[in-house]
């Protein structure tokens, strides 16, 4: 579908995209995740042919976006960060114009505009000037333009920005509906959103792809350092005694609570599950165990680790080594 | 291209700019027509048109200022540039829409010679040719204005620069008389012009080898010709730059009834050059 190879984009001396490579396959929802200024919008602008890359190439269904722009652009519908709307037109006029611009044959224009209007729920405001529409409706008009004619690939740059929660849910549903027979690529700096909607997440920081995997796999990225949290009704010294026989525990951090309980975080040496052992150790000693919990690393923590690390982070390094070997294998 | 053309044309008349432009041009020409042709009884409508030329200097920048700067400011250029339409088509669509707006008052002008004919003697051939060349001159101005609009994001700056350039072109004959005519200053002048052109090429391509090479070869050619035959450079600046007094071709028709075909070719080539430059400017911005 889309193949991005060694993409580099420089603005003067500023390196906006640094050797980005990835492949996108049909029928999935991809999420670009990254902090502000990470290069998400620039990447999307290059993929859609709005900007030229300093180095590297983008292939859309085998067509180079720079060498055969007209062929390549036929497959793409794009909603930029700021919806490209003409304020002096009505919604219907605007979509008619967009349909003609995209080369939808005259006979099908009307029906495809109607279909899209229905899909993004703009039918009620079709005759109103875009100038007079609220932010949410404008966003939807932009979205309608992007999915008009149902191109194979729909690229959405922060599609839910400025929408109220109900609209956000509607747009997410729409994206899921689209993904049944289209490829959708969306960008966001909101984690929950990407996790909710996307089948595949690409985390971009400082113009580089720092991680790319399914949301579940990403959460397991940091599994090799596993923590277990327990809370028991006993003194810290007693708990230490109870835990002593379990050899897998490498370190224990304890904290005494005011209600006479103790909260402890256990770090295991390897990726082993010691919850049963902990349970029986406490049961044997007749010490009430109030809480036993594996502390999986959340996507939030991974995101922070990946995007704010200074490049020295363990995870970042190991992942990037992997990237170089199987860059085309997403 | 047709989609862009239709949208642009519609938006000119929806946003009033088109209507204001047409009304402005027709009203002023009407005043001149009343004064020269009706009151004074002069039978040439072409003479009236030469008075309206001044209206172009304000009117055309009004028409061209928003063409590309507004798209860029509102980011609607993202829609045009990511659609499966070539950039030359986008530029041509916009250009033709502006030309169509300009055509509206010119079609109205075609009625004026007929009014003169009703009153007695008229010179329809000269009058219609002059309306045609007047329209063509407007097309040249639109191409220049469109190019200037593609350079900036601000409509105001686009308007002022286009206004300034058109005003200088209008006053060009007067400015020209200050240029030196000796052969040595001719060489210096040509080299300066060459350097400006090379600086533009350098800025667009970023290739020092090409631009430096052109500069060196150009300077060498100038110096060698100067040494061989210095008389070639006498008055060369006035001759070359005199061509820039674009309105002269039109004025020849209105004042002497002489149609200069080479001047019309000059008009058409300037239009082509500025459309090309507009495409290049937009293309270039995608890489900066």
């Amino acid at each position: 579908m889309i193949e991005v190879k060694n993409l580099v984009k420089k603005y003067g001396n500023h390196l906006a995209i640094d050797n980005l490579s990835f492949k996108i396959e049909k029928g999935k929802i991809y999420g670009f995740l990254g902090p502000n200024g990470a290069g998400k919008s620039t990447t999307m602008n290059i993929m859609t042919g709005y900007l030229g890359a300093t180095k590297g190439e983008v292939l859309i269904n085998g067509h180079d976006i720079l060498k055969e722009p007209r062929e390549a652009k036929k497959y793409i519908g794009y909603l930029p960060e700021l919806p490209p709307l003409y304020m002096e037109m009505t919604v219907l006029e605007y979509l008619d114009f967009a349909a003609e611009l995209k080369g939808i044959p005259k006979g099908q224009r009307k029906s495809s505009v109607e279909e899209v209007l229905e899909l993004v729920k703009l039918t009620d405001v079709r005759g109103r000037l875009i100038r007079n529409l609220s932010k949410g409706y404008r966003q939807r008009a932009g979205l309608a333009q992007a999915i008009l004619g149902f191109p194979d690939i729909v690229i959405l740059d922060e599609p839910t920005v400025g929408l109220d929660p109900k609209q956000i849910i509607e747009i997410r549903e729409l994206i899921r509906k689209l993904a049944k027979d289209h490829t959708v690529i969306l960008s966001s700096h909101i984690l929950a959103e990407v996790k909710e909607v996307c089948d595949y997440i690409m985390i971009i920081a400082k113009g580089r792809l720092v991680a790319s995997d399914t949301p579940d796999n990403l959460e397991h990225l940091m599994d090799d350092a596993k923590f277990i949290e327990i809370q028991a009704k006993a003194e810290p010294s007693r708990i230490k005694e109870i835990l002593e026989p379990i050899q897998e525990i490498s370190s224990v951090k304890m904290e005494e609570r005011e209600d006479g309980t103790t909260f402890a975080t256990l770090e295991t040496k390897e990726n082993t599950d010691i919850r049963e052992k902990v349970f029986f150790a406490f049961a044997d000693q007749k010490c009430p165990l109030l809480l036993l919990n594996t502390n999986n690393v959340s996507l939030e923590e991974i995101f922070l680790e990946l995007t704010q690390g200074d490049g020295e982070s363990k995870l970042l390094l190991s992942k990037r080594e992997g990237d170089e070997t199987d860059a085309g294998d997403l | 291209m047709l989609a862009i053309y239709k949208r642009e044309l519609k938006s000119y008349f929806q946003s009033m700019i088109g209507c204001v432009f047409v009304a402005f041009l027709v009203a002023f020409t009407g005043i001149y027509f009343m004064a020269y042709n009706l009151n004074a009884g002069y039978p040439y409508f072409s003479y009236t048109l030469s008075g309206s030329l001044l209206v172009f200097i304000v009117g055309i920048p009004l028409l061209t200022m928003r063409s590309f700067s507004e798209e860029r400011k509102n980011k609607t250029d993202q829609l045009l540039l990511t659609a499966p339409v070539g950039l030359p088509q986008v530029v041509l669509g916009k250009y033709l829409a502006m030309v169509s707006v300009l055509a509206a008052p010119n079609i109205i002008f075609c009625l004026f010679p007929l009014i003169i004919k009703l009153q007695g003697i008229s010179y329809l051939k000269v009058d219609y040719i002059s309306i045609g060349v007047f329209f063509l001159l407007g097309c040249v101005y639109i191409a220049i204005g469109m190019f200037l609009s593609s350079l900036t994001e601000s409509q105001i700056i686009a308007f002022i620069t286009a206004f300034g350039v058109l005003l200088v072109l209008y006053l060009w004959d007067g400015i020209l008389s200050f240029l030196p005519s000796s052969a040595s200053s001719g060489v210096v002048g040509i080299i300066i012009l060459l350097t400006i052109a090379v600086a533009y090429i350098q800025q667009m391509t970023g290739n020092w080898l090409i631009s430096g090479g052109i500069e060196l070869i150009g300077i060498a050619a100038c110096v060698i010709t100067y040494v061989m035959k210095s008389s070639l450079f006498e008055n060369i600046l006035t001759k070359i730059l005199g061509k820039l007094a674009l309105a002269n071709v039109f004025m020849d028709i209105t004042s002497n009834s002489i149609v200069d075909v080479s001047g019309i070719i000059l008009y058409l080539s300037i239009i082509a050059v500025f459309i090309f430059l507009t495409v290049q400017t937009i293309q270039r911005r995608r890489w900066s």
Side-chain angles (χ1 to χ4, degrees):
Chain A
M1 281 249 98
I2 301 186
E3 213 179 330
V4 172
K5 287 184 199 157
N6 305 322
L7 209 62
V8 176
K9 176 73 180 175
K10 278 182 187 165
Y11 290 115
N13 284 329
H14 172 68
L15 195 61
I17 295 181
D18 184 4
N19 233 332
L20 198 62
S21 300
F22 56 84
K23 250 186 194 169
I24 282 178
E25 275 152 27
K26 208 180 159 102
K28 277 187 186 165
I29 308 179
Y30 287 81
F32 277 4
L33 190 63
N36 293 324
K40 303 185 297 281
S41 293
T42 309
T43 311
M44 291 190 151
N45 276 335
I46 294 174
M47 280 163 64
T48 52
Y50 177 61
L51 291 178
T54 314
K55 254 190 237 158
E57 57 177 358
V58 177
L59 296 176
I60 313 282
N61 281 346
H63 301 283
D64 189 306
I65 190 84
L66 293 176
K67 288 178 194 137
E68 307 164 75
R70 295 180 75 162
E71 268 304 306
K73 285 173 186 173
K74 269 184 200 161
Y75 299 108
I76 297 182
Y78 180 37
L79 169 66
E81 210 170 352
L82 204 74
L85 303 171
Y86 290 99
M87 295 298 162
E88 76 275 9
M89 297 174 105
T90 65
V91 176
L92 202 60
E93 280 172 341
Y94 174 71
L95 290 177
D96 275 336
F97 165 64
E100 200 176 343
L101 196 66
K102 285 168 181 244
I104 297 173
K106 207 168 183 181
Q108 298 166 22
R109 238 174 256 158
K110 206 165 178 165
S111 59
S112 56
V113 168
E114 288 298 326
E115 196 179 350
V116 165
L117 277 175
E118 200 67 42
L119 210 57
V120 298
K121 302 201 172 105
L122 272 176
T123 322
D124 296 342
V125 297
R126 61 206 289 181
R128 280 173 60 185
L129 287 179
I130 292 176
R131 182 204 315 271
N132 299 331
L133 294 182
S134 70
K135 169 95 179 130
Y137 277 119
R138 286 184 192 184
Q139 189 74 22
R140 285 196 232 179
L143 188 66
Q145 168 272 124
I147 61 177
L148 197 61
F150 296 104
D152 286 357
I153 303 157
V154 179
I155 300 184
L156 310 169
D157 197 351
E158 310 214 338
T160 55
V161 157
L163 301 181
D164 65 41
K166 186 167 167 275
Q167 292 170 327
I168 290 180
I169 292 169
E170 281 172 9
I171 291 221
R172 276 186 200 159
E173 273 166 14
L174 179 62
I175 291 172
R176 280 201 204 96
K177 219 188 279 175
L178 277 175
K180 278 179 194 150
D181 36 19
H182 301 84
T183 307
V184 181
I185 305 170
L186 59 91
S187 80
S188 180
H189 56 261
I190 304 162
L191 252 155
E193 175 171 299
V194 173
K195 193 176 161 187
E196 172 94 356
V197 184
C198 299
D199 302 321
Y200 210 94
I201 298 181
M202 298 188 212
I203 300 183
I204 297 178
K206 291 173 194 150
R208 281 192 302 235
L209 192 67
V210 290
S212 63
D213 219 322
T214 58
D216 287 345
N217 285 347
L218 273 183
E219 281 182 343
H220 291 133
L221 256 185
M222 296 217 290
D223 271 357
D224 46 346
K226 203 169 192 177
F227 293 92
I228 288 181
E229 291 170 342
I230 57 168
Q231 195 177 5
K233 206 167 184 180
E235 308 273 295
S237 55
R238 173 107 198 275
I239 289 180
K240 208 169 182 183
E241 257 169 46
I242 298 171
L243 290 175
E244 214 141 52
I246 307 175
Q247 282 167 8
E248 284 90 343
I249 297 171
S250 61
S251 72
V252 183
K253 233 186 274 170
M254 274 189 280
E255 192 187 321
E256 200 171 355
R257 296 276 163 96
E258 281 176 7
D259 54 0
T261 61
T262 301
F263 187 86
T265 313
L266 319 176
E267 193 180 342
T268 53
K269 278 173 194 155
E270 282 123 34
N271 193 3
T272 46
D273 198 347
I274 57 161
R275 279 177 299 178
E276 273 180 42
K277 282 187 182 173
V278 173
F279 170 80
F280 285 118
F282 277 87
D284 289 348
Q285 300 287 323
K286 296 241 168 5
C287 173
L289 192 58
L290 303 178
L291 179 133
L292 177 62
N293 195 16
T294 53
N295 184 11
N296 269 339
V297 191
S298 70
L299 204 54
E300 270 87 355
E301 283 167 275
I302 294 179
F303 177 69
L304 287 178
E305 167 87 11
L306 288 171
T307 55
Q308 296 184 350
D310 48 5
E312 296 297 311
S313 127
K314 180 180 68 176
L315 192 59
L316 201 73
L317 279 179
S318 67
K319 189 60 199 167
R320 273 180 56 211
E321 274 164 19
D323 270 351
E324 268 160 27
T325 51
D326 60 7
D329 195 41
L330 298 183
Chain B
M1 188 175 98
L2 202 61
I4 294 170
Y5 170 76
K6 281 195 287 194
R7 198 208 76 79
E8 284 291 309
L9 196 58
K10 211 169 167 188
S11 106
Y12 271 115
F13 288 102
Q14 270 175 350
S15 68
M16 297 298 291
I17 288 186
C19 304
V20 168
F21 175 79
V22 173
F24 195 53
L25 203 58
V26 173
F28 266 84
T29 312
I31 292 171
Y32 278 110
F33 178 70
M34 192 184 70
Y36 293 147
N37 301 119
L38 297 184
N39 272 4
Y42 192 66
Y44 286 99
F45 177 65
S46 52
Y47 189 69
T48 305
L49 272 187
S50 68
S52 308
L53 200 57
L54 201 64
V55 183
F56 264 3
I57 294 175
V58 185
I60 299 274
L62 199 71
L63 202 61
T64 59
M65 64 179 186
R66 57 193 286 278
S67 56
F68 283 98
S69 51
E70 198 190 31
E71 298 262 1
R72 206 173 140 197
K73 195 168 184 184
N74 294 340
K75 305 267 184 205
T76 43
D77 58 339
Q78 284 190 320
L79 177 66
L80 302 181
L81 295 180
T82 58
V85 181
L87 186 53
Q89 273 100 326
V90 174
V91 174
L92 268 181
K94 278 181 169 283
Y95 180 71
L96 291 179
M98 287 188 275
V99 166
S100 307
V101 176
L102 177 70
N106 280 286
I107 289 167
I108 299 174
F109 292 162
C110 290
L111 298 174
F112 288 81
L114 297 178
I115 297 173
I116 298 173
K117 193 172 190 315
L118 284 179
Q119 315 299 320
I121 312 165
S122 69
Y123 299 89
L124 290 184
K125 211 191 254 173
V126 175
D127 283 350
Y128 283 121
I129 289 176
S130 70
I131 291 175
V133 176
F134 183 71
F135 171 66
L136 207 57
L137 181 61
C139 295
V140 174
Y141 286 171
I142 288 176
I144 296 174
M146 178 175 77
F147 167 66
L148 292 169
S149 172
S150 75
L151 291 176
T152 168
E153 249 181 61
S154 151
Q155 289 190 41
I156 305 290
I157 292 176
F159 176 83
I160 291 173
T161 47
F163 176 73
V165 168
L166 296 189
L167 192 66
V168 167
L169 286 179
Y170 186 75
L171 301 172
W172 196 245
D173 264 340
I175 297 171
L176 219 54
S177 59
F178 293 109
L179 285 177
S181 60
S182 72
S184 54
S185 55
V187 177
V188 175
I190 295 292
I191 290 178
I192 291 174
L193 287 181
L194 178 77
T195 314
I196 293 172
V198 166
Y200 178 75
I201 293 173
Q202 158 64 21
Q203 213 243 322
M204 291 299 281
T205 61
N207 189 332
W208 285 103
L209 201 67
I210 293 179
S211 46
I214 295 175
E215 175 81 16
L216 282 180
I217 293 168
I219 290 176
C222 284
V223 172
I224 290 167
T225 3
Y226 179 69
V227 174
M228 306 284 278
K229 200 175 176 190
S230 63
S231 62
L232 267 183
F233 285 97
E234 277 168 21
N235 281 325
I236 192 166
L237 282 185
T238 349
K239 264 188 234 158
I240 292 181
L241 296 178
K243 292 281 183 208
L244 285 180
L246 294 175
N248 280 357
V249 180
F250 172 67
M251 288 301 195
D252 274 344
I253 300 171
T254 59
S255 48
N256 310 321
S257 303
I258 298 171
V259 180
D260 180 2
V261 178
S262 71
I264 289 172
I265 293 170
L266 176 75
Y267 280 5
L268 294 176
S269 27
I270 291 179
I271 292 173
V273 165
F274 277 98
I275 289 177
F276 174 76
L277 287 179
T278 310
V279 173
Q280 290 305 310
T281 310
I282 297 169
Q283 195 73 269
R284 156 91 187 157
R285 199 167 46 229
R286 294 165 68 192
W287 264 270
S288 62

